[in-house]
Amino acid sequence: MLLVSRSYFFLSTFSFLLVLMLELDGQRLSLAQVAAIAHGREHVALSSASRARVQQSRKIVEQIVDEGRAVYGVNTGFGKLSDVHIERSQLRELQLNLVRSHSCGLGLPLSEAEARALLLLRANVLALGFSGCRPLLIDTLIRMIERGVTPVIPEKGSVGASGDLAPLAHLALTAIGEGEAFYRGQRMPGAEAMSRAEIEPLELEVKEGIALLNGTQAMAAVGGLALHRAERVARLADVAGAMTLEAVRGTPVAFDERIHLARPHPGQVEVAAHLRELLRDSQIRQSHLENDPRVQDAYSLRCMPQVHGAIRGALSHAREIVEIETGSATDNPLVFAETGDVISGGNFHGAPLALSFDYAAIAMTDLMSITERRIDRLVNPDSNEGLPAFLSAKPGVGSGFMMMQIVAASLLNEAKVLAHPASIDNVPTDGGKEDHVSMGMTAATKLRSIVDSAELITAIELITAAEGLEYRAPLEPGRGVKQAYEIVRRHVPRLTADRAMSGEIQTMAEVIRDGQFDLI
Protein backbone atom coordinates (compact mmCIF):
# COMPACT_ATOMS: atom_id res chain seq x y z
CA MET A 1 0.00 0.00 0.00
CA LEU A 2 1.28 3.47 -0.89
CA LEU A 3 1.48 5.76 2.09
CA VAL A 4 2.06 9.42 1.30
CA SER A 5 1.47 12.22 3.76
CA ARG A 6 1.36 15.84 2.67
CA SER A 7 2.20 18.87 4.81
CA TYR A 8 1.26 22.35 3.64
CA PHE A 9 2.99 25.48 4.89
CA PHE A 10 1.04 28.53 3.73
CA LEU A 11 3.17 31.47 2.69
CA SER A 12 0.38 33.84 1.70
CA THR A 13 -3.23 33.89 0.62
CA PHE A 14 -2.27 32.93 -2.89
CA SER A 15 0.76 30.65 -2.58
CA PHE A 16 1.93 27.70 -0.54
CA LEU A 17 4.88 25.37 -0.26
CA LEU A 18 4.08 21.68 -0.68
CA VAL A 19 6.33 19.21 1.12
CA LEU A 20 5.84 15.54 0.27
CA MET A 21 6.74 12.78 2.69
CA LEU A 22 6.87 9.24 1.34
CA GLU A 23 6.42 6.62 4.06
CA LEU A 24 8.24 3.46 3.07
CA ASP A 25 6.27 0.28 3.57
CA GLY A 26 7.90 -1.97 0.98
CA GLN A 27 5.31 -0.74 -1.53
CA ARG A 28 5.77 -0.55 -5.26
CA LEU A 29 7.29 2.81 -6.19
CA SER A 30 6.76 4.57 -9.49
CA LEU A 31 9.77 5.71 -11.48
CA ALA A 32 8.55 9.27 -10.99
CA GLN A 33 8.68 8.79 -7.20
CA VAL A 34 12.16 7.28 -7.37
CA ALA A 35 13.35 10.17 -9.54
CA ALA A 36 11.79 12.76 -7.21
CA ILE A 37 13.62 11.39 -4.17
CA ALA A 38 16.84 10.80 -6.11
CA HIS A 39 16.87 14.49 -7.04
CA GLY A 40 15.93 15.69 -3.56
CA ARG A 41 12.37 16.77 -4.31
CA GLU A 42 10.68 14.50 -1.75
CA HIS A 43 11.30 13.27 1.81
CA VAL A 44 11.29 9.73 3.20
CA ALA A 45 10.31 8.04 6.47
CA LEU A 46 9.68 4.45 7.64
CA SER A 47 6.03 3.61 8.24
CA SER A 48 5.00 2.38 11.69
CA ALA A 49 3.41 -0.77 10.22
CA SER A 50 6.66 -1.63 8.47
CA ARG A 51 8.68 -1.01 11.62
CA ALA A 52 6.58 -3.59 13.47
CA ARG A 53 7.02 -6.17 10.67
CA VAL A 54 10.77 -5.65 10.61
CA GLN A 55 10.98 -6.14 14.38
CA GLN A 56 9.07 -9.43 14.15
CA SER A 57 11.41 -10.65 11.43
CA ARG A 58 14.39 -9.69 13.55
CA LYS A 59 13.15 -11.79 16.47
CA ILE A 60 13.26 -14.89 14.26
CA VAL A 61 16.94 -14.30 13.47
CA GLU A 62 17.77 -13.79 17.13
CA GLN A 63 15.99 -17.04 18.02
CA ILE A 64 18.07 -18.92 15.44
CA VAL A 65 21.28 -17.59 16.99
CA ASP A 66 20.12 -18.46 20.51
CA GLU A 67 19.23 -22.01 19.45
CA GLY A 68 22.47 -22.52 17.50
CA ARG A 69 20.70 -23.72 14.36
CA ALA A 70 22.79 -23.53 11.16
CA VAL A 71 21.04 -21.18 8.73
CA TYR A 72 22.62 -19.72 5.60
CA GLY A 73 23.45 -16.05 5.92
CA VAL A 74 22.94 -16.07 9.67
CA ASN A 75 25.73 -18.29 11.00
CA THR A 76 27.35 -19.82 7.91
CA GLY A 77 29.80 -18.62 5.30
CA PHE A 78 28.58 -17.22 1.98
CA GLY A 79 28.36 -18.59 -1.54
CA LYS A 80 30.73 -21.49 -2.04
CA LEU A 81 31.57 -21.24 1.68
CA SER A 82 27.97 -21.77 2.79
CA ASP A 83 28.81 -25.16 4.34
CA VAL A 84 31.21 -23.53 6.83
CA HIS A 85 29.53 -23.07 10.25
CA ILE A 86 30.55 -19.87 12.06
CA GLU A 87 30.90 -19.74 15.83
CA ARG A 88 28.64 -17.33 17.70
CA SER A 89 31.59 -15.26 18.89
CA GLN A 90 32.51 -14.55 15.24
CA LEU A 91 29.09 -13.63 13.84
CA ARG A 92 29.62 -9.86 13.95
CA GLU A 93 33.04 -10.28 12.37
CA LEU A 94 31.42 -12.41 9.65
CA GLN A 95 29.07 -9.57 8.63
CA LEU A 96 31.78 -6.92 8.76
CA ASN A 97 34.18 -9.03 6.69
CA LEU A 98 31.42 -9.60 4.13
CA VAL A 99 31.00 -5.86 3.57
CA ARG A 100 34.71 -5.13 3.42
CA SER A 101 35.65 -8.07 1.20
CA HIS A 102 32.89 -7.32 -1.32
CA SER A 103 33.83 -3.64 -1.69
CA CYS A 104 35.81 -4.24 -4.86
CA GLY A 105 33.93 -1.96 -7.26
CA LEU A 106 35.84 -0.13 -9.98
CA GLY A 107 35.31 2.70 -12.41
CA LEU A 108 33.55 6.03 -12.12
CA PRO A 109 31.14 6.45 -9.23
CA LEU A 110 27.40 6.44 -9.78
CA SER A 111 25.90 9.91 -9.96
CA GLU A 112 24.61 11.24 -6.66
CA ALA A 113 21.04 10.85 -7.97
CA GLU A 114 21.69 7.19 -8.82
CA ALA A 115 23.29 6.52 -5.43
CA ARG A 116 20.36 8.20 -3.64
CA ALA A 117 17.94 6.07 -5.65
CA LEU A 118 19.93 3.03 -4.58
CA LEU A 119 19.63 4.03 -0.91
CA LEU A 120 15.89 4.53 -1.34
CA LEU A 121 15.28 1.20 -3.06
CA ARG A 122 17.36 -0.75 -0.57
CA ALA A 123 15.57 0.87 2.37
CA ASN A 124 12.19 0.14 0.79
CA VAL A 125 12.77 -3.57 0.17
CA LEU A 126 14.17 -4.01 3.68
CA ALA A 127 10.96 -2.37 4.92
CA LEU A 128 9.03 -5.39 3.62
CA GLY A 129 10.20 -7.27 6.72
CA PHE A 130 11.69 -10.34 5.02
CA SER A 131 15.35 -9.56 5.68
CA GLY A 132 15.76 -10.13 9.40
CA CYS A 133 17.53 -6.83 10.05
CA ARG A 134 16.85 -4.32 12.80
CA PRO A 135 14.73 -1.22 12.02
CA LEU A 136 17.88 0.77 12.86
CA LEU A 137 19.43 -0.42 9.60
CA ILE A 138 16.59 1.12 7.57
CA ASP A 139 16.55 4.24 9.73
CA THR A 140 20.23 4.79 8.99
CA LEU A 141 19.74 4.52 5.22
CA ILE A 142 16.85 6.96 5.44
CA ARG A 143 18.92 9.41 7.50
CA MET A 144 21.62 9.24 4.82
CA ILE A 145 19.03 10.17 2.18
CA GLU A 146 17.53 12.95 4.28
CA ARG A 147 20.81 14.48 5.43
CA GLY A 148 22.65 14.24 2.14
CA VAL A 149 25.27 11.55 2.80
CA THR A 150 25.64 9.85 -0.58
CA PRO A 151 27.94 6.81 -0.78
CA VAL A 152 30.65 6.77 -3.44
CA ILE A 153 29.64 3.65 -5.39
CA PRO A 154 31.83 2.52 -8.34
CA GLU A 155 29.66 1.45 -11.23
CA LYS A 156 31.68 -1.60 -12.36
CA GLY A 157 31.90 -4.95 -10.59
CA SER A 158 28.41 -6.45 -10.50
CA VAL A 159 27.31 -9.50 -12.50
CA GLY A 160 23.76 -9.16 -11.24
CA ALA A 161 23.31 -12.50 -9.50
CA SER A 162 23.43 -12.76 -5.75
CA GLY A 163 22.36 -9.28 -6.64
CA ASP A 164 24.56 -6.24 -7.08
CA LEU A 165 27.09 -7.33 -4.48
CA ALA A 166 29.92 -4.88 -5.13
CA PRO A 167 27.79 -1.71 -5.49
CA LEU A 168 25.71 -2.58 -2.42
CA ALA A 169 28.87 -3.36 -0.45
CA HIS A 170 30.12 0.17 -1.10
CA LEU A 171 26.76 1.50 0.12
CA ALA A 172 27.10 -0.59 3.29
CA LEU A 173 30.71 0.52 3.70
CA THR A 174 29.62 4.14 4.04
CA ALA A 175 26.77 3.16 6.38
CA ILE A 176 29.29 1.59 8.79
CA GLY A 177 31.49 4.70 8.65
CA GLU A 178 34.07 3.47 6.17
CA GLY A 179 34.61 3.99 2.44
CA GLU A 180 33.86 7.35 0.86
CA ALA A 181 30.84 9.61 0.47
CA PHE A 182 29.70 12.82 -1.14
CA TYR A 183 28.46 15.43 1.32
CA ARG A 184 27.45 18.97 0.42
CA GLY A 185 29.26 18.81 -2.89
CA GLN A 186 32.49 17.35 -1.53
CA ARG A 187 33.96 13.86 -1.70
CA MET A 188 35.36 12.73 1.63
CA PRO A 189 35.88 9.68 3.88
CA GLY A 190 32.61 8.03 4.82
CA ALA A 191 33.28 8.45 8.54
CA GLU A 192 33.71 12.21 8.11
CA ALA A 193 30.53 12.54 6.06
CA MET A 194 28.51 10.58 8.63
CA SER A 195 29.98 12.68 11.43
CA ARG A 196 29.20 15.99 9.72
CA ALA A 197 25.62 14.82 9.10
CA GLU A 198 25.34 13.67 12.72
CA ILE A 199 24.52 10.09 11.77
CA GLU A 200 25.82 7.29 13.98
CA PRO A 201 27.55 4.65 11.82
CA LEU A 202 26.04 1.18 11.98
CA GLU A 203 27.58 -1.64 13.98
CA LEU A 204 26.38 -4.63 12.01
CA GLU A 205 24.65 -7.43 13.87
CA VAL A 206 23.87 -10.98 12.71
CA LYS A 207 22.59 -11.20 9.11
CA GLU A 208 22.71 -7.45 8.56
CA GLY A 209 25.69 -7.44 6.20
CA ILE A 210 24.04 -9.87 3.84
CA ALA A 211 20.73 -8.01 4.23
CA LEU A 212 22.45 -4.94 2.82
CA LEU A 213 24.38 -6.72 0.04
CA ASN A 214 21.91 -9.15 -1.54
CA GLY A 215 19.61 -7.45 -4.00
CA THR A 216 19.05 -5.88 -7.42
CA GLN A 217 18.81 -2.28 -6.28
CA ALA A 218 21.93 -0.94 -8.05
CA MET A 219 20.73 -2.06 -11.47
CA ALA A 220 17.20 -0.97 -10.60
CA ALA A 221 18.42 2.49 -9.57
CA VAL A 222 20.65 3.09 -12.60
CA GLY A 223 18.35 1.46 -15.14
CA GLY A 224 15.19 2.85 -13.56
CA LEU A 225 16.37 6.46 -13.69
CA ALA A 226 17.59 5.94 -17.26
CA LEU A 227 14.24 4.45 -18.19
CA HIS A 228 12.42 7.44 -16.68
CA ARG A 229 14.48 9.72 -18.93
CA ALA A 230 13.94 7.41 -21.90
CA GLU A 231 10.15 7.72 -21.66
CA ARG A 232 10.48 11.51 -21.74
CA VAL A 233 12.66 11.33 -24.86
CA ALA A 234 10.29 8.90 -26.56
CA ARG A 235 7.37 11.31 -26.12
CA LEU A 236 9.51 14.26 -27.19
CA ALA A 237 10.39 12.39 -30.38
CA ASP A 238 6.79 13.00 -31.50
CA VAL A 239 7.34 16.73 -31.02
CA ALA A 240 10.66 16.79 -32.85
CA GLY A 241 9.24 14.62 -35.63
CA ALA A 242 6.22 16.91 -36.04
CA MET A 243 8.58 19.90 -36.31
CA THR A 244 10.51 18.12 -39.04
CA LEU A 245 7.30 17.19 -40.86
CA GLU A 246 6.27 20.85 -40.94
CA ALA A 247 9.74 22.02 -42.03
CA VAL A 248 9.76 19.67 -45.04
CA ARG A 249 6.08 20.34 -45.80
CA GLY A 250 4.96 16.78 -45.10
CA THR A 251 1.39 15.56 -44.76
CA PRO A 252 -0.42 14.51 -41.56
CA VAL A 253 -2.81 12.29 -43.54
CA ALA A 254 -0.98 9.16 -42.33
CA PHE A 255 -1.98 10.08 -38.76
CA ASP A 256 -5.71 9.76 -39.47
CA GLU A 257 -7.34 8.08 -36.46
CA ARG A 258 -9.08 5.50 -38.64
CA ILE A 259 -5.77 4.08 -39.82
CA HIS A 260 -4.58 3.46 -36.28
CA LEU A 261 -7.81 2.11 -34.91
CA ALA A 262 -7.52 -0.51 -37.65
CA ARG A 263 -4.29 -1.66 -35.97
CA PRO A 264 -4.94 -0.65 -32.36
CA HIS A 265 -1.62 -1.04 -30.62
CA PRO A 266 -1.97 1.38 -27.68
CA GLY A 267 1.32 3.18 -28.27
CA GLN A 268 0.61 3.63 -31.96
CA VAL A 269 -2.84 5.09 -31.27
CA GLU A 270 -1.40 7.45 -28.61
CA VAL A 271 1.39 8.72 -30.87
CA ALA A 272 -0.98 9.35 -33.79
CA ALA A 273 -3.29 11.35 -31.52
CA HIS A 274 -0.31 13.30 -30.14
CA LEU A 275 0.89 14.14 -33.66
CA ARG A 276 -2.56 15.31 -34.72
CA GLU A 277 -2.68 17.64 -31.73
CA LEU A 278 0.83 18.97 -32.36
CA LEU A 279 -0.06 19.77 -35.99
CA ARG A 280 -3.47 21.28 -35.32
CA ASP A 281 -4.21 24.62 -37.08
CA SER A 282 -1.03 24.54 -39.15
CA GLN A 283 -0.77 27.28 -41.76
CA ILE A 284 2.11 25.41 -43.37
CA ARG A 285 -0.17 22.42 -43.97
CA GLN A 286 -2.87 24.61 -45.45
CA SER A 287 -0.35 26.06 -47.92
CA HIS A 288 0.20 22.76 -49.72
CA LEU A 289 -3.17 21.05 -49.43
CA GLU A 290 -3.82 21.53 -53.15
CA ASN A 291 -1.67 20.85 -56.21
CA ASP A 292 1.02 19.05 -54.21
CA PRO A 293 2.62 16.47 -56.54
CA ARG A 294 3.75 14.30 -53.62
CA VAL A 295 1.53 11.40 -52.62
CA GLN A 296 3.38 9.93 -49.64
CA ASP A 297 6.09 10.95 -47.21
CA ALA A 298 9.16 8.86 -46.39
CA TYR A 299 8.76 6.24 -43.68
CA SER A 300 10.69 8.29 -41.11
CA LEU A 301 7.79 10.77 -41.28
CA ARG A 302 4.83 8.66 -42.29
CA CYS A 303 5.48 5.78 -39.89
CA MET A 304 6.12 7.79 -36.72
CA PRO A 305 3.01 6.36 -35.00
CA GLN A 306 4.03 2.79 -35.78
CA VAL A 307 7.70 3.19 -34.78
CA HIS A 308 7.37 5.63 -31.89
CA GLY A 309 4.37 3.68 -30.63
CA ALA A 310 6.27 0.39 -30.59
CA ILE A 311 9.07 2.08 -28.66
CA ARG A 312 6.59 3.41 -26.12
CA GLY A 313 5.28 -0.13 -25.70
CA ALA A 314 8.76 -1.52 -25.06
CA LEU A 315 9.54 1.18 -22.50
CA SER A 316 6.19 0.71 -20.79
CA HIS A 317 6.90 -3.01 -20.40
CA ALA A 318 10.34 -2.28 -18.95
CA ARG A 319 8.86 0.27 -16.53
CA GLU A 320 6.34 -2.31 -15.29
CA ILE A 321 9.18 -4.75 -14.52
CA VAL A 322 11.24 -2.14 -12.66
CA GLU A 323 8.29 -0.87 -10.65
CA ILE A 324 7.45 -4.41 -9.54
CA GLU A 325 11.08 -4.78 -8.46
CA THR A 326 10.98 -1.60 -6.36
CA GLY A 327 8.63 -3.36 -3.91
CA SER A 328 10.11 -6.86 -4.04
CA ALA A 329 12.17 -8.76 -1.47
CA THR A 330 15.40 -9.58 -3.33
CA ASP A 331 17.85 -10.71 -0.67
CA ASN A 332 18.58 -14.19 0.63
CA PRO A 333 17.60 -15.99 2.76
CA LEU A 334 14.12 -14.58 3.40
CA VAL A 335 12.65 -14.58 6.87
CA PHE A 336 8.92 -15.37 7.16
CA ALA A 337 7.88 -14.16 10.59
CA GLU A 338 4.41 -15.74 10.47
CA THR A 339 5.83 -19.27 10.44
CA GLY A 340 9.36 -18.70 11.68
CA ASP A 341 10.78 -20.17 8.46
CA VAL A 342 14.01 -18.87 6.96
CA ILE A 343 14.16 -20.00 3.33
CA SER A 344 17.04 -19.70 0.89
CA GLY A 345 16.09 -18.94 -2.70
CA GLY A 346 17.16 -16.83 -5.66
CA ASN A 347 15.17 -13.58 -5.68
CA PHE A 348 18.46 -11.71 -6.01
CA HIS A 349 18.86 -12.85 -9.63
CA GLY A 350 18.63 -9.87 -11.95
CA ALA A 351 17.21 -11.61 -15.04
CA PRO A 352 13.89 -9.69 -15.14
CA LEU A 353 15.68 -6.34 -15.02
CA ALA A 354 18.54 -7.33 -17.31
CA LEU A 355 16.19 -8.50 -20.05
CA SER A 356 13.95 -5.43 -19.73
CA PHE A 357 16.89 -3.01 -19.86
CA ASP A 358 18.25 -4.74 -22.95
CA TYR A 359 14.81 -4.48 -24.55
CA ALA A 360 14.64 -0.77 -23.69
CA ALA A 361 18.15 -0.23 -25.07
CA ILE A 362 17.18 -1.80 -28.40
CA ALA A 363 14.02 0.32 -28.51
CA MET A 364 15.88 3.55 -27.81
CA THR A 365 18.46 2.75 -30.46
CA ASP A 366 15.65 2.31 -32.98
CA LEU A 367 14.26 5.68 -31.89
CA MET A 368 17.67 7.23 -32.55
CA SER A 369 17.73 5.54 -35.95
CA ILE A 370 14.47 7.09 -37.16
CA THR A 371 15.50 10.44 -35.67
CA GLU A 372 18.77 10.44 -37.59
CA ARG A 373 16.88 9.77 -40.83
CA ARG A 374 14.65 12.80 -40.23
CA ILE A 375 17.70 14.98 -39.50
CA ASP A 376 19.14 13.89 -42.83
CA ARG A 377 15.93 14.83 -44.64
CA LEU A 378 16.14 18.33 -43.15
CA VAL A 379 19.71 19.05 -44.27
CA ASN A 380 20.05 16.96 -47.44
CA PRO A 381 19.34 19.17 -50.49
CA ASP A 382 18.15 16.08 -52.39
CA SER A 383 15.27 15.49 -49.95
CA ASN A 384 14.53 18.63 -47.92
CA GLU A 385 11.80 20.00 -50.19
CA GLY A 386 13.42 23.25 -51.24
CA LEU A 387 15.13 24.21 -48.00
CA PRO A 388 18.68 25.59 -48.42
CA ALA A 389 21.40 22.95 -48.66
CA PHE A 390 22.34 21.97 -45.09
CA LEU A 391 20.13 24.84 -43.92
CA SER A 392 22.99 27.25 -44.58
CA ALA A 393 22.16 30.92 -45.14
CA LYS A 394 25.04 30.92 -47.64
CA PRO A 395 25.50 27.35 -48.97
CA GLY A 396 29.06 26.78 -50.10
CA VAL A 397 30.59 29.64 -48.17
CA GLY A 398 28.92 28.23 -45.08
CA SER A 399 28.40 24.57 -44.18
CA GLY A 400 25.35 25.28 -42.05
CA PHE A 401 24.03 22.16 -40.31
CA MET A 402 26.09 19.66 -42.33
CA MET A 403 27.85 18.42 -39.21
CA MET A 404 24.60 18.02 -37.29
CA GLN A 405 23.72 14.93 -39.32
CA ILE A 406 27.27 13.63 -39.14
CA VAL A 407 27.34 13.92 -35.35
CA ALA A 408 23.91 12.24 -35.22
CA ALA A 409 25.30 9.35 -37.28
CA SER A 410 28.20 9.01 -34.83
CA LEU A 411 25.85 8.91 -31.83
CA LEU A 412 23.70 6.32 -33.56
CA ASN A 413 26.68 4.10 -34.37
CA GLU A 414 27.74 4.04 -30.72
CA ALA A 415 24.20 3.23 -29.61
CA LYS A 416 24.02 0.33 -32.08
CA VAL A 417 27.15 -1.17 -30.55
CA LEU A 418 25.82 -0.68 -27.00
CA ALA A 419 22.43 -2.19 -27.91
CA HIS A 420 23.99 -5.67 -28.03
CA PRO A 421 22.24 -7.46 -25.13
CA ALA A 422 24.22 -7.93 -21.94
CA SER A 423 21.73 -10.50 -20.65
CA ILE A 424 22.70 -13.15 -23.22
CA ASP A 425 26.16 -13.47 -21.69
CA ASN A 426 27.08 -15.71 -18.76
CA VAL A 427 30.35 -16.01 -16.84
CA PRO A 428 30.08 -18.43 -13.87
CA THR A 429 31.39 -16.95 -10.61
CA ASP A 430 32.04 -17.88 -6.97
CA GLY A 431 33.70 -21.20 -7.69
CA GLY A 432 30.78 -22.30 -9.86
CA LYS A 433 28.16 -21.78 -7.15
CA GLU A 434 26.82 -18.81 -9.11
CA ASP A 435 26.88 -20.62 -12.44
CA HIS A 436 24.32 -18.44 -14.21
CA VAL A 437 24.39 -14.66 -13.80
CA SER A 438 22.28 -11.86 -15.29
CA MET A 439 24.77 -9.09 -16.16
CA GLY A 440 21.95 -6.73 -15.24
CA MET A 441 24.19 -3.88 -14.06
CA THR A 442 25.94 -3.89 -17.43
CA ALA A 443 22.52 -3.74 -19.11
CA ALA A 444 21.58 -0.79 -16.89
CA THR A 445 24.73 1.25 -17.52
CA LYS A 446 24.50 0.57 -21.28
CA LEU A 447 20.92 1.80 -21.27
CA ARG A 448 22.00 4.95 -19.45
CA SER A 449 24.65 5.63 -22.12
CA ILE A 450 22.13 5.11 -24.92
CA VAL A 451 19.65 7.46 -23.26
CA ASP A 452 22.41 10.09 -22.96
CA SER A 453 22.91 9.85 -26.72
CA ALA A 454 19.17 9.77 -27.41
CA GLU A 455 18.80 13.09 -25.60
CA LEU A 456 21.60 14.56 -27.69
CA ILE A 457 20.27 13.32 -31.03
CA THR A 458 16.78 14.57 -30.15
CA ALA A 459 18.33 17.94 -29.27
CA ILE A 460 19.93 17.96 -32.72
CA GLU A 461 16.60 17.28 -34.43
CA LEU A 462 14.85 20.00 -32.43
CA ILE A 463 17.52 22.59 -33.31
CA THR A 464 17.65 21.52 -36.95
CA ALA A 465 13.87 21.41 -37.39
CA ALA A 466 13.51 24.84 -35.79
CA GLU A 467 15.98 26.16 -38.35
CA GLY A 468 13.97 24.57 -41.14
CA LEU A 469 10.81 26.28 -39.92
CA GLU A 470 12.50 29.66 -40.37
CA TYR A 471 12.34 29.13 -44.12
CA ARG A 472 8.57 28.50 -44.05
CA ALA A 473 7.85 31.88 -42.41
CA PRO A 474 5.62 33.83 -42.35
CA LEU A 475 3.48 30.68 -42.36
CA GLU A 476 3.07 29.33 -38.85
CA PRO A 477 3.29 25.64 -37.89
CA GLY A 478 0.75 23.71 -35.80
CA ARG A 479 0.07 24.85 -32.26
CA GLY A 480 2.22 22.26 -30.51
CA VAL A 481 5.05 22.64 -33.00
CA LYS A 482 5.02 26.40 -32.49
CA GLN A 483 5.32 25.92 -28.71
CA ALA A 484 8.33 23.66 -29.19
CA TYR A 485 9.91 26.08 -31.67
CA GLU A 486 9.59 28.90 -29.12
CA ILE A 487 11.32 26.82 -26.42
CA VAL A 488 14.18 26.04 -28.81
CA ARG A 489 14.57 29.70 -29.70
CA ARG A 490 14.80 30.72 -26.06
CA HIS A 491 18.07 28.78 -25.90
CA VAL A 492 19.39 28.54 -29.49
CA PRO A 493 19.24 31.53 -31.87
CA ARG A 494 18.76 31.22 -35.62
CA LEU A 495 21.87 30.35 -37.63
CA THR A 496 22.68 33.48 -39.64
CA ALA A 497 26.37 32.54 -39.98
CA ASP A 498 28.34 29.40 -39.17
CA ARG A 499 29.24 29.00 -35.49
CA ALA A 500 30.33 26.28 -33.09
CA MET A 501 27.21 24.34 -32.06
CA SER A 502 28.48 21.84 -29.46
CA GLY A 503 27.48 23.95 -26.48
CA GLU A 504 24.02 24.64 -27.91
CA ILE A 505 23.37 20.93 -28.46
CA GLN A 506 24.41 20.22 -24.87
CA THR A 507 22.19 23.06 -23.63
CA MET A 508 19.20 21.69 -25.52
CA ALA A 509 19.84 18.22 -24.05
CA GLU A 510 19.76 19.81 -20.58
CA VAL A 511 16.50 21.56 -21.47
CA ILE A 512 15.10 18.14 -22.40
CA ARG A 513 16.24 16.64 -19.06
CA ASP A 514 14.74 19.60 -17.20
CA GLY A 515 11.34 18.71 -18.65
CA GLN A 516 10.71 22.01 -20.43
CA PHE A 517 9.02 20.20 -23.34
CA ASP A 518 6.97 17.85 -21.15
CA LEU A 519 3.65 19.67 -21.43
CA ILE A 520 3.64 19.85 -25.23
Side-chain angles (χ1 to χ4, degrees):
M1 180 177 68
L2 179 62
L3 300 173
V4 180
S5 61
R6 290 175 170 83
S7 301
Y8 299 87
F9 297 91
F10 287 90
L11 303 179
S12 70
T13 306
F14 303 104
S15 66
F16 60 85
L17 175 66
L18 172 63
V19 178
L20 290 176
M21 177 67 75
L22 177 67
E23 292 193 338
L24 298 184
D25 193 30
Q27 72 271 36
R28 184 185 298 193
L29 302 175
S30 70
L31 292 187
Q33 287 176 307
V34 174
I37 292 164
H39 293 286
R41 296 192 293 269
E42 210 166 300
H43 297 278
V44 188
L46 182 63
S47 77
S48 56
S50 177
R51 186 177 297 278
R53 284 200 309 270
V54 172
Q55 288 171 333
Q56 286 298 113
S57 174
R58 181 63 191 172
K59 288 179 181 178
I60 302 300
V61 172
E62 291 170 352
Q63 288 173 7
I64 290 170
V65 174
D66 290 341
E67 295 168 6
R69 285 188 285 137
V71 175
Y72 175 73
V74 176
N75 48 21
T76 71
F78 305 105
K80 187 73 171 177
L81 301 175
S82 59
D83 56 351
V84 178
H85 183 74
I86 309 300
E87 295 298 326
R88 183 167 185 165
S89 61
Q90 297 177 306
L91 292 182
R92 285 184 178 177
E93 183 183 358
L94 171 71
Q95 301 300 315
L96 186 59
N97 285 343
L98 178 71
V99 171
R100 288 172 173 166
S101 67
H102 283 57
S103 297
C104 293
L106 300 171
L108 296 173
L110 301 184
S111 71
E112 290 195 53
E114 289 168 334
R116 283 173 58 83
L118 175 48
L119 282 167
L120 166 70
L121 295 177
R122 194 69 206 140
N124 192 50
V125 299
L126 292 175
L128 282 163
F130 292 116
S131 302
C133 66
R134 294 168 295 164
L136 176 62
L137 200 74
I138 306 169
D139 290 335
T140 300
L141 299 184
I142 290 174
R143 289 188 190 107
M144 291 168 70
I145 296 170
E146 291 294 290
R147 300 183 189 180
V149 176
T150 307
V152 172
I153 301 175
E155 68 176 26
K156 298 182 186 298
S158 172
V159 296
S162 266
D164 294 311
L165 294 173
L168 283 163
H170 284 275
L171 177 152
L173 204 62
T174 302
I176 65 174
E178 299 184 14
E180 290 185 289
F182 296 107
Y183 182 68
R184 295 187 177 178
Q186 295 183 0
R187 183 170 175 169
M188 62 186 68
E192 182 179 349
M194 295 288 274
S195 175
R196 288 194 189 185
E198 298 182 348
I199 304 172
E200 189 70 25
L202 283 167
E203 292 186 13
L204 297 176
E205 295 287 348
V206 175
K207 200 187 177 297
E208 291 186 331
I210 197 169
L212 285 170
L213 266 61
N214 258 176
T216 58
Q217 284 67 53
M219 66 179 90
V222 174
L225 290 179
L227 192 57
H228 187 59
R229 291 164 55 202
E231 291 196 296
R232 168 180 281 135
V233 175
R235 189 176 188 280
L236 183 55
D238 302 348
V239 178
M243 289 180 72
T244 297
L245 184 87
E246 292 272 64
V248 299
R249 299 173 73 244
T251 173
V253 168
F255 312 145
D256 189 299
E257 183 179 28
R258 292 167 292 182
I259 294 173
H260 304 287
L261 292 179
R263 192 197 192 193
H265 292 292
Q268 178 177 330
V269 173
E270 290 169 9
V271 171
H274 191 203
L275 288 167
R276 291 194 300 272
E277 183 62 25
L278 290 165
L279 297 165
R280 189 157 56 92
D281 299 331
S282 168
Q283 293 178 359
I284 295 174
R285 171 56 179 157
Q286 291 298 318
S287 73
H288 62 94
L289 267 174
E290 298 179 2
N291 303 316
D292 190 334
R294 298 170 300 168
V295 178
Q296 294 179 327
D297 288 321
Y299 287 3
S300 61
L301 299 170
R302 193 193 336 161
C303 296
M304 284 191 283
Q306 290 80 4
V307 177
H308 293 190
I311 290 158
R312 285 194 188 198
L315 298 180
S316 176
H317 171 72
R319 172 167 38 83
E320 180 182 6
I321 298 297
V322 178
E323 290 181 349
I324 289 172
E325 196 78 355
T326 64
S328 298
T330 56
D331 56 311
N332 181 59
L334 296 181
V335 179
F336 297 90
E338 298 87 351
T339 61
D341 292 325
V342 180
I343 306 175
S344 184
N347 277 3
F348 47 63
H349 201 288
L353 293 175
L355 290 165
S356 65
F357 293 150
D358 282 340
Y359 187 21
I362 291 168
M364 290 303 291
T365 301
D366 192 38
L367 185 70
M368 291 179 64
S369 178
I370 196 170
T371 299
E372 183 278 329
R373 287 294 79 207
R374 291 195 298 263
I375 294 167
D376 180 74
R377 299 199 78 78
L378 285 162
V379 302
N380 189 338
D382 295 332
S383 58
N384 68 5
E385 301 298 335
L387 295 172
F390 304 107
L391 301 179
S392 173
K394 298 178 181 179
V397 175
S399 296
F401 281 44
M402 181 186 295
M403 281 303 298
M404 291 292 222
Q405 185 268 331
I406 293 172
V407 172
S410 172
L411 292 169
L412 176 58
N413 171 256
E414 183 179 14
K416 288 178 178 179
V417 173
L418 291 172
H420 176 82
S423 56
I424 62 174
D425 189 27
N426 180 54
V427 180
T429 59
D430 192 23
K433 188 78 167 184
E434 300 167 4
D435 61 349
H436 183 273
V437 301
S438 75
M439 301 300 181
M441 189 62 172
T442 305
T445 55
K446 289 195 312 93
L447 174 60
R448 179 224 284 153
S449 295
I450 290 172
V451 174
D452 288 344
S453 293
E455 289 171 342
L456 290 169
I457 203 170
T458 304
I460 290 172
E461 184 178 12
L462 288 166
I463 295 169
T464 308
E467 193 70 22
L469 289 173
E470 301 289 357
Y471 294 95
R472 303 306 181 193
L475 298 176
E476 291 194 346
R479 291 186 183 182
V481 171
K482 184 179 179 182
Q483 285 181 274
Y485 165 83
E486 290 170 349
I487 293 173
V488 173
R489 282 290 171 258
R490 285 202 289 269
H491 302 279
V492 180
R494 184 175 183 179
L495 189 74
T496 55
D498 284 0
R499 64 176 185 263
M501 299 290 290
S502 296
E504 294 175 4
I505 297 169
Q506 293 284 359
T507 295
M508 190 52 52
E510 290 169 10
V511 170
I512 292 170
R513 284 193 291 274
D514 289 344
Q516 293 188 33
F517 292 94
D518 286 1
L519 297 180
I520 300 176

